[in-house]
């Protein structure tokens, strides 16, 4: 197979598979679905003409070919990453590009207006494209190049993503004036006995997951 005919994202999947020796964990590492990772493994076996991972007892082990590939692949990916992210002079006023951004929930209202204003001032030829969130596919979406940046709550990002905290926030409860829950001390039973409005922005379930985890504690 010629290089131009190869989906180079398969090499990222192969690196995860060889590090984890487990399809499900490799998929989780890249925030991919298990079926997508299984398909990637099937394609990789064809590319390398080797099973790469074989069953041994209750798990998987690397073949001799996979053991040979693993350190060379990791080194290659490091070099590619350095090549892609090497520092160079950048003039935003001369940039002609489209930046695809994922934002969730209210962050759209908090950040985007100021961001658009700043882009218009500093990078007038850059187009900002905003798409809806799909937290279950973050790693897969980023590795495929579908998006460039996400501003969201993301507590356990895969190691392949570069992250930076922007600000801290907190959740609050809202109730009507005179609600019986507001009379007297709050406890877990009183809180859970009430009816609640649940807001799920698209597939962004992480906010309610945080509430559930806090209630469990």
């Amino acid at each position: 197979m010629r290089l131009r005919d190869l989906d180079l994202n398969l090499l990222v999947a192969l690196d995860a598979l060889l590090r984890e020796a487990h399809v499900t964990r490799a998929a989780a590492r890249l925030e991919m679905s298990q079926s997508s990772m299984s398909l990637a493994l099937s394609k990789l076996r064809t590319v390398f003409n080797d099973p790469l991972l074989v069953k041994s007892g209750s798990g998987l082990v690397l073949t001799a070919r996979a053991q040979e590939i693993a350190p060379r692949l990791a080194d290659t990916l490091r070099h590619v990453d350095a090549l892609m992210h090497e520092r160079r002079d950048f003039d935003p006023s001369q940039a002609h590009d489209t930046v695809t951004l994922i934002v969730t929930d209210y962050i759209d209202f908090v950040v985007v207006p100021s961001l658009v204003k700043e882009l218009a001032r500093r990078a007038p030829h850059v187009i900002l494209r905003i798409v809806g969130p799909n937290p279950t596919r973050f790693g897969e979406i980023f590795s495929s190049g579908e998006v460039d940046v996400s501003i969201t709550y993301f507590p356990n990002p895969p190691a392949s993503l570069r992250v930076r905290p922007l600000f801290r926030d907190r959740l609050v409860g809202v109730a009507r004036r005179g609600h019986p829950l507001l009379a007297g001390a709050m406890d877990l039973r009183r809180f859970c006995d009430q009816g609640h409005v649940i807001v799920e922005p698209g597939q962004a379930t992480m906010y309610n997951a945080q509430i559930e985890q806090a209630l469990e504690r």
Side-chain angles (χ1 to χ4, degrees):
M1 176 179 286
R2 295 172 299 181
L3 180 60
R4 68 184 184 184
D5 298 323
L6 176 66
D7 178 0
L8 295 181
N9 286 315
L10 287 174
L11 297 182
V12 178
L14 177 59
D15 180 63
L17 285 163
L18 299 186
R19 289 176 185 273
E20 299 291 346
H22 194 283
V23 173
T24 302
R25 289 200 300 267
R29 185 185 185 97
L30 297 184
E31 294 292 314
M32 296 172 58
S33 67
Q34 183 176 347
S35 59
S36 295
M37 184 60 75
S38 295
L39 179 60
L41 177 57
S42 177
K43 292 179 179 179
L44 287 162
R45 284 169 168 165
T46 300
V47 170
F48 288 95
N49 193 28
D50 186 271
L52 299 174
L53 294 170
V54 294
K55 288 186 177 180
S56 176
S58 59
L60 297 174
V61 296
L62 278 63
T63 64
R65 176 76 169 125
Q67 293 177 28
E68 175 193 350
I69 290 171
R72 296 166 58 190
L73 175 61
D75 189 54
T76 298
L77 292 178
R78 280 195 297 271
H79 282 294
V80 171
D81 186 68
L83 176 65
M84 297 297 294
H85 299 109
E86 64 183 2
R87 290 188 176 273
R88 52 190 169 184
D89 293 338
F90 174 69
D91 183 358
S93 68
Q94 300 302 313
H96 289 73
D97 206 348
T98 297
V99 177
T100 302
L101 171 69
I102 290 180
V103 292
T104 59
D105 199 22
Y106 75 102
I107 294 175
D108 193 350
F109 301 98
V110 172
V111 173
V112 170
S114 297
L115 176 59
V116 169
K117 182 178 180 180
E118 190 69 8
L119 275 175
R121 184 177 71 85
R122 301 186 60 183
H125 307 297
V126 171
I127 297 171
L128 181 63
R129 174 174 174 261
I130 299 176
V131 297
N134 188 342
T136 61
R137 294 184 58 240
F138 265 149
E140 183 179 352
I141 289 172
F142 274 104
S143 65
S144 67
E146 295 179 46
V147 298
D148 302 297
V149 182
S150 176
I151 305 176
T152 182
Y153 173 74
F154 199 2
N156 298 300
S160 59
L161 294 185
R162 291 182 294 169
V163 299
R164 176 181 297 178
L166 296 180
F167 59 88
R168 293 183 178 274
D169 207 347
R170 63 193 180 96
L171 296 174
V172 299
V174 178
R176 63 173 170 80
R177 187 188 303 274
H179 193 286
L181 188 61
L182 303 179
M186 178 79 72
D187 59 34
L188 181 62
R189 178 177 293 278
R190 292 191 67 218
F191 181 84
C192 292
D193 282 345
Q194 300 300 317
H196 296 265
V197 176
I198 296 178
V199 178
E200 295 284 5
Q203 298 187 49
T205 61
M206 72 282 286
Y207 298 110
N208 289 324
Q210 288 298 300
I211 295 174
E212 295 297 333
Q213 291 170 11
L215 292 176
E216 288 175 5
R217 289 195 299 269

